[in-house]
Amino acid sequence: MEKIRDIMTDDVECCTLLDNVFEVAVKMKELNVGAIPIVDGDKLVGMITDRDIVVRGVAEKHPGSTKVEEVMSSKLVTISADATAKEAASLMAEHQIRRLPVVEGDKLIGIVSLGDFAIRKMSDDQAKVALTEISEQNYNGVQH
């Protein structure tokens, strides 16, 4: 089974705690991504998704100048680069997440997403089942 380091994206664009929600949204638009990790120096401190911006920002009438830490998720599920794709898929299914930050200690070194698995031929049936569960539950509108 492949290691996460073999399939992760290691050139990850980030924002910092100094950025506001508007700046994060602009970066998402420019990069055509739905999530941006938030770092403090090298340390991963949060993740903000387009959904976070809508649900915790816009829907709660926060302006674009709102500090990113008021909208981001700070309780993160992460994985090490030495973990297997099967382990990552299991974590993603268990926590119903589509992106998994890859860390070395508390330093962000990459990110793995459902898309990373989709472009690879996965030989492990359990990983396929886990990924199918995430996609189906999210497709049906169930979010955890």
Side-chain angles (χ1 to χ4, degrees):
M1 166 111 347
E2 285 182 295
K3 297 287 186 185
I4 291 304
R5 77 174 66 259
D6 299 325
I7 62 174
M8 72 182 191
T9 300
D10 57 7
D11 184 22
V12 182
E13 290 284 337
C14 300
C15 286
T16 72
L17 293 173
L18 299 175
D19 292 310
N20 62 40
V21 173
F22 175 77
E23 292 166 324
V24 173
V26 168
K27 188 172 243 186
M28 284 180 177
K29 179 181 177 183
E30 290 171 352
L31 299 171
N32 193 29
V33 297
I36 301 270
I38 307 300
V39 294
D40 185 8
D42 283 342
K43 181 180 179 183
L44 176 66
V45 295
M47 185 81 107
I48 188 167
T49 66
D50 45 9
R51 187 173 192 280
D52 293 330
I53 292 172
V54 170
V55 173
R56 295 186 195 141
V58 176
E60 293 184 10
K61 298 184 179 179
H62 291 291
S65 59
T66 301
K67 290 182 179 181
V68 72
E69 59 192 315
E70 292 183 35
V71 177
M72 72 181 193
S73 299
S74 57
K75 293 181 181 178
L76 302 177
V77 178
T78 62
I79 198 161
S80 81
D82 292 324
T84 65
K86 178 181 175 182
E87 291 169 320
S90 293
L91 266 178
M92 293 168 90
E94 178 184 343
H95 295 280
Q96 291 299 296
I97 53 178
R98 293 175 171 264
R99 301 164 194 93
L100 194 56
V102 182
V103 295
E104 204 168 78
D106 58 6
K107 180 182 177 184
L108 179 70
I109 61 168
I111 196 161
V112 66
S113 71
L114 282 180
D116 295 324
F117 289 108
I119 62 173
R120 290 187 145 57
K121 183 179 187 317
M122 294 190 67
S123 59
D124 188 283
D125 289 335
Q126 187 176 359
K128 288 179 185 175
V129 169
L131 294 171
T132 300
E133 287 176 15
I134 297 168
S135 297
E136 285 176 358
Q137 288 188 11
N138 283 320
Y139 178 75
N140 292 324
V142 177
Q143 292 278 338
H144 295 277

